[in-house]
Amino acid sequence: MRKSFYVGILSLFILLTYACSEDNDTILSSSPTDETTVEAKTMLNVSYGADSNQVYDIYLPQNRTLTTKVMIFVHGGGWTSGDKSDMSTFIELMQTDLPEYAVVNVNYRLANNTTSPFPMQLEDITAIINDLKARNEEYIISEDYGFLGTSAGAHLSMLWSYDYDTQGDVNMVASIVGPTNLADQAYLDNADPTIQAYINLLGIDLVIPFLESFSPLHKVTADAPPTILFYGGQDPLIPNSQGMDLSDKLSVLGVTHSFTFYPNEAHGWVGPNATDTWNRFKTFVAEHH
């Protein structure tokens, strides 16, 4: 969640970064087509709200149809920082290994000392889903969505999928080092000023019911979509209990899920474990999305 640690998750995979323009309403088309072919298209900084941060990039594959499924990327940054460009490596991986999926890479309004992330950022995800639904025929995509989030973005992805997806549109959700329980005693009793700063974002008079209302662990039900989880045993920001407790609850509820724990990794990793993470994610997507 802290910026310096989030950089670690951004270098999760050692590949060339996909360059992404920041020009508003940029449309880039690729792949020569004939009359029977739907061309690939990239649209950058599509607005879904009045705030400058309420934009997304969408990558539409060639030969898509109204059954083409959508993967939504949600960046981390402790709810206060980060940008969709941080997910550029994942864009390239998706286009290389899962080219049949449409990809939506989102920005959302950021929190600060006077503006809580909740429910603001969850409302932004709702607005994104509503915008994609309104444009599904224009984009030529389905209304079947998956989420991949990192750190704070993983928290938002899980919480929205478990508690805000009233139409059952989410097929699967993936969390890489996402917080699952804001009411965890490991957070409430912490002595780390960085962690405490994130807790303080939520307000002065914090009570357990409030913290639980914005915790995936406490909002998940037996109707939750298939979930894949990745956590590091040496993570200074996410206690080991976070991933383990959610995995245990998903088991009790009978929710299809996968939990991978890397004992020697922190808030992000490179090398063989990074390759393992991506391979597990690809397999999960193929089976459940």
Side-chain angles (χ1 to χ4, degrees):
M1 287 155 44
R2 185 169 52 191
K3 186 70 171 177
S4 59
F5 285 102
Y6 184 63
V7 170
I9 199 69
L10 302 182
S11 59
L12 187 60
F13 307 103
I14 306 175
L15 288 176
L16 294 175
T17 299
Y18 183 88
C20 189
S21 167
E22 291 303 322
D23 295 332
N24 286 336
D25 302 321
T26 302
I27 301 177
L28 306 174
S29 296
S30 61
S31 303
T33 63
D34 58 35
E35 293 179 355
T36 62
T37 301
V38 177
E39 68 177 359
K41 181 181 293 185
T42 295
M43 303 176 68
L44 306 180
N45 294 310
V46 178
S47 176
Y48 65 89
D51 191 277
S52 61
N53 279 321
Q54 292 177 306
V55 294
Y56 63 76
D57 301 337
I58 184 164
Y59 302 82
L60 299 169
Q62 186 174 344
N63 294 336
R64 64 192 178 279
T65 70
L66 290 175
T67 64
T68 294
K69 295 177 180 178
V70 182
M71 184 64 67
I72 300 171
F73 292 164
V74 188
H75 71 78
W79 304 293
T80 63
S81 63
D83 183 82
K84 56 185 168 61
S85 62
D86 298 337
M87 304 296 280
S88 58
T89 295
F90 291 102
I91 299 292
E92 183 166 338
L93 286 165
M94 284 291 296
Q95 292 183 318
T96 300
D97 293 344
L98 297 165
E100 68 275 22
Y101 287 87
V103 178
V104 179
N105 191 22
V106 310
N107 270 355
Y108 48 87
R109 289 172 292 174
L110 300 175
N112 54 44
N113 290 334
T114 59
T115 306
S116 173
F118 316 129
M120 175 179 71
Q121 292 172 355
L122 296 152
E123 292 169 349
D124 280 358
I125 295 178
T126 297
I128 291 164
I129 295 293
N130 289 341
D131 192 73
L132 293 173
K133 284 187 170 188
R135 301 188 190 207
N136 80 300
E137 292 189 2
E138 171 191 346
Y139 290 157
I140 316 177
I141 55 173
S142 73
E143 296 182 6
D144 292 325
Y145 309 109
F147 279 96
L148 169 62
T150 59
S151 195
H155 164 270
L156 296 172
S157 298
M158 290 185 288
L159 185 56
W160 197 90
S161 299
Y162 295 166
D163 195 35
Y164 287 72
D165 179 22
T166 58
Q167 302 301 311
D169 293 319
V170 178
N171 290 346
M172 51 101 18
V173 58
S175 165
I176 300 178
V177 298
T180 68
N181 182 15
L182 301 180
D184 193 327
Q185 284 302 130
Y187 280 147
L188 299 180
D189 298 336
N190 86 87
D192 186 319
T194 300
I195 293 176
Q196 191 56 48
Y198 291 123
I199 297 296
N200 291 343
L201 281 174
L202 308 181
I204 332 176
D205 303 316
L206 296 179
V207 292
I208 297 298
F210 173 82
L211 294 173
E212 290 180 347
S213 71
F214 292 109
S215 296
L217 178 71
H218 296 283
K219 303 307 292 186
V220 67
T221 69
D223 295 325
T227 302
I228 184 167
L229 308 167
F230 300 96
Y231 290 86
Q234 305 303 313
D235 193 328
L237 299 174
I238 310 297
N240 291 348
S241 54
Q242 296 278 298
M244 293 177 176
D245 288 353
L246 180 57
S247 178
D248 289 345
K249 186 163 186 179
L250 291 171
S251 294
V252 170
L253 293 171
V255 175
T256 299
H257 71 286
S258 170
F259 173 64
T260 302
F261 183 74
Y262 303 109
N264 298 318
E265 300 291 3
H267 201 63
W269 42 86
V270 296
N273 285 339
T275 302
D276 180 70
T277 296
W278 182 250
N279 287 338
R280 289 175 184 271
F281 172 76
K282 281 193 303 182
T283 300
F284 199 83
V285 170
E287 292 178 355
H288 302 292
H289 188 17

